Amino acid sequence: MRPTRVVVADDHPIILLGVRHALDAFDDIALLGQARQSTELVEMLQRAPADVVVTDLSMPGGRYGDGLALIGYLRRHFPDLRIVVLTMLGNGALLRRLFDAGAVTVVGKCDDLLHIGLAVRHAMRGLRHVSPSLRMALERAQAGGDGMAALPALSPREIEVVRLFASGLSVSEIGHQLNRSIKTISSHKMTALRKLGLTGDAQLIEYARVNGLSHGGLARGEPLHRRGRWRVEPLGERGGPKGRCGVRRKRAARA
């Protein structure tokens, strides 16, 4: 029986290394390649058809964006492709949006990376799968008890704009990434503020942070390990990266 062909995309080399290590434990999975942003991912899929793509939710810098926009693009242009999403964000309403957009399984970077191989197997069988760290958040959202009554009222595009804005992108940068005008992005942002009953950027950023829509500083496309403020710790003993959600962020000593 032919192994499941998988392509992995993440903008952090340490995560790519961990995922490769984790998938090596599954004899029925063949890793075709790895990409650092959406342009590389799409070009790889065009050259070598895959059964499953495992992609980070927040992976800026490519021509096709990231998050919901990228998932939508993959669904339109590669309709037979199964999508597994990796994320550090534990927001129940956002998880529901991911499934609505076409993701089959979602894996939290807080979980052991062996869950990625299990997620690939579930995706191939057409079964929805949520890793343990995200399951409770999704259950709370489905029960209406995740403390986010206002978020489901936002459209998928408004959620995406809020996520990117709170992660550090300007309105013009978001427009460039999503291929929309500054006026359109500003309109989405203002509509989100109005729906959420917020009065300014600071409140919007704080709302996104508290409700799991942002892990600030990762949206500008600069890998964590290259930033002066942080460094990425090596892999843990069990094969997955150390730290709370796949990477441990630690203040680096000044040069």
Side-chain angles (χ1 to χ4, degrees), residues 4 13 29 39 45 66-67 94 104 107 125 149 189-190 216 223 242:
T4 300
I29 295 175
T39 304
L45 292 172
D66 66 347
L94 179 59
V104 179
V107 177
R125 295 166 61 191
K189 180 180 159 221
M190 295 306 296
K242 292 181 178 179

Side-chain angles (χ1 to χ4, degrees), residues 94-159:
L94 179 59
L95 294 176
R96 287 191 299 178
R97 297 291 190 190
L98 290 175
F99 286 121
D100 291 343
V104 179
T105 67
V106 182
V107 177
K109 291 184 179 180
C110 302
D111 293 303
D112 191 311
L113 290 181
L114 289 175
H115 283 283
I116 297 174
L118 299 177
V120 169
R121 286 177 172 174
H122 278 78
M124 279 302 295
R125 295 166 61 191
L127 300 176
R128 180 175 294 189
H129 176 76
V130 182
S131 66
S133 69
L134 303 179
R135 194 172 299 139
M136 186 175 296
L138 184 60
E139 289 172 353
R140 285 199 305 268
Q142 291 172 337
D146 62 351
M148 296 194 59
L151 183 59
L154 299 183
S155 70
R157 182 64 73 191
E158 289 160 359
I159 291 176

